[in-house]
Amino acid sequence: MSVLTVLLALLSALGNGTASVLQRRAAMDQVREERSAPGPKRNPLRLVRLLRRPYWLAGLAAMVVSAAAQVGALAVGRLSVVQPLLVSELLFTLVVGSLVFHHRPDGRTWLSFVMLAAGLALFLAAADPSHGATRAKNGEWLPVGVVVAIAVGILIAVAHALRGPARAVALGCATATCFACTAALIKELTGRFAGGVAAVFTDWPLYAVCVVGLLSFLLLQSTLRAGTLAASQPALTLGDALVSIALGWVLFGERVDLGLRIVPEVAGILLMAAGIVGLTRSPAMCGGWDQVVPEPSRQAGPLRGRRRSPDGGEGTP
C-alpha cells in the first residue's frame, strides 16, 4: 500500500471522527433544550434547526474534508485497504471527544486503542489485499445493490423494534453498510476519471454516489440520536471495513491472501475485537461521557466550572 493512500485514508478518518463528535454535541444540545422547553418534544423541523448550530456546521465541514480525502484515497488505492484504515476513526473520535465533552480518557481506554491499532496493522500486513479492477464488470452492480438495499432495510426495521444501545448498534450497522456501498460507488466513479469530465457526468455512478451518500448522511443523524458514541461508533467503523472488504472482492476482484496467512489475519481480527470490547466497556466511553454538555456558568459561586447533563442535573466538576 502506498504512503499517499495511507495518509489520505487517515485524514478521512480524522474528518469522520471529528464530524461524529461535533454533530453528536449538536444533537445533545438540542435534546437538552427540548427537554427544558414547553410544548411538544418532537418536531419534523428538528433536522432543519440543527443547520443553525455551530457545532453541527463544523461537523459538516469536517465531513466534506473527509469525503474529499476518501475520494483521493480510493482513486490511488484499493477499497479493501482504504476502508479498513478508517477504523482509526475511533481513535480520533476519542481524542476530539475528550476535548469537546471535557472528559479525559483513562489508561484502559488508551490500551484498548493500542490493541485496536495493532490488530488493524497486523490484519492489513498479513492480508495484503491485491490490486483489483478499477471498475466492476457489467451487470455486477445490480444484484449487489439489491442485496445491500435488502440488508439495510432489514437493519432499519430491526432498529425500530429496539431501544437504547441495541438500537444505536443496529442503525450503526445499517449506516456502515451504506457508507461501504458509497465508498464502492466512489471507487467505481474514480475509474471513469480517465474518460474525462463528460464520462463522469453522463454515467450513472456520480448520481448513485449522491443518492446513497445522502441516505448514509440521514441514517448517520438517526444513529447519533439513538445512543451514545460508545454504542454506535464501533458498529459504524468495523461494519464499514468488513462490508468494504466484501464489496472489493465481489465487485473489483480484490483478493485477500489466505493459506498460512489466515493465522495472523484471525489474530489481527481478534485483537481489533478485543480493542472494541475494551473500548465500549471503558469508563471514558460509557456512562454518558458524550451526554454531559459543558455550559458556561451564569453566576459566580460553588457551581462555577460545573457541567450540566441533558436533563438539567449537575455534572462533574
Side-chain angles (χ1 to χ4, degrees):
M1 65 188 78
S2 70
V3 174
L4 180 59
T5 300
V6 173
L7 291 177
L8 288 172
L10 291 177
L11 177 59
S12 180
L14 172 60
N16 274 335
T18 302
S20 293
V21 170
L22 293 177
Q23 292 186 345
R24 174 67 177 174
R25 167 66 189 271
M28 295 315 301
D29 281 341
Q30 188 178 67
V31 168
R32 174 173 53 81
E33 292 176 5
E34 287 176 350
R35 288 181 178 177
S36 62
K41 302 302 181 184
R42 295 190 176 274
N43 191 311
L45 298 179
R46 176 183 291 163
L47 180 59
V48 175
R49 293 202 304 272
L50 274 175
L51 299 177
R52 298 177 295 180
R53 295 184 176 274
Y55 276 105
W56 194 91
L57 292 173
L60 180 62
M63 289 181 68
V64 172
V65 172
S66 174
Q70 185 182 26
V71 170
L74 290 170
V76 299
R78 288 152 279 178
L79 179 66
S80 54
V81 170
V82 173
Q83 295 306 107
L85 280 171
L86 295 185
V87 172
S88 60
E89 172 185 339
L90 286 170
L91 174 59
F92 297 120
T93 299
L94 174 67
V95 173
V96 178
S98 66
L99 297 174
V100 172
F101 292 103
H102 298 182
H103 193 111
R104 181 180 299 175
D106 61 349
R108 177 178 172 180
T109 303
W110 289 116
L111 177 61
S112 298
F113 272 112
V114 169
M115 296 173 65
L116 177 60
L120 175 62
L122 179 59
F123 174 79
L124 288 176
D128 191 23
S130 64
H131 286 283
T134 57
R135 296 165 57 175
K137 294 180 181 179
N138 291 334
E140 287 186 343
W141 264 108
L142 181 59
V144 168
V146 171
V147 171
V148 168
I150 292 174
V152 171
I154 292 174
L155 287 168
I156 292 175
V158 169
H160 281 297
L162 300 173
R163 291 293 182 270
R167 183 175 187 179
V169 171
L171 284 174
C173 290
T175 306
T177 303
C178 286
F179 276 137
C181 187
T182 302
L185 287 167
I186 292 174
K187 181 70 176 176
E188 183 77 22
L189 177 64
T190 60
R192 286 162 166 74
F193 285 175
V197 176
V200 172
F201 282 93
T202 59
D203 215 342
W204 63 270
L206 174 62
Y207 306 100
V209 167
C210 294
V211 172
V212 180
L214 177 61
L215 175 60
S216 303
F217 172 78
L218 295 176
L219 275 176
L220 178 62
Q221 306 311 306
S222 297
T223 301
L224 293 175
R225 292 189 64 89
T228 66
L229 292 175
S232 62
Q233 206 68 12
L236 280 167
T237 51
L238 285 182
D240 189 351
L242 294 176
V243 174
S244 294
I245 290 173
L247 291 178
W249 173 63
V250 172
L251 292 171
F252 305 107
E254 298 175 357
R255 294 293 185 264
V256 173
D257 287 340
L258 297 175
L260 292 177
R261 289 177 177 243
I262 197 171
V263 175
E265 288 169 1
V266 171
I269 292 174
L270 291 177
L271 269 176
M272 285 191 287
I276 290 297
V277 171
L279 172 64
T280 56
R281 293 182 178 179
S282 70
M285 290 291 280
C286 62
W289 76 287
D290 61 343
Q291 295 181 18
V292 179
V293 179
E295 289 183 335
S297 61
R298 295 182 173 85
Q299 61 183 15
L303 295 182
R304 182 176 297 276
R306 290 182 177 268
R307 298 190 295 272
R308 293 186 178 272
S309 61
D311 60 0
E314 290 181 14
T316 57

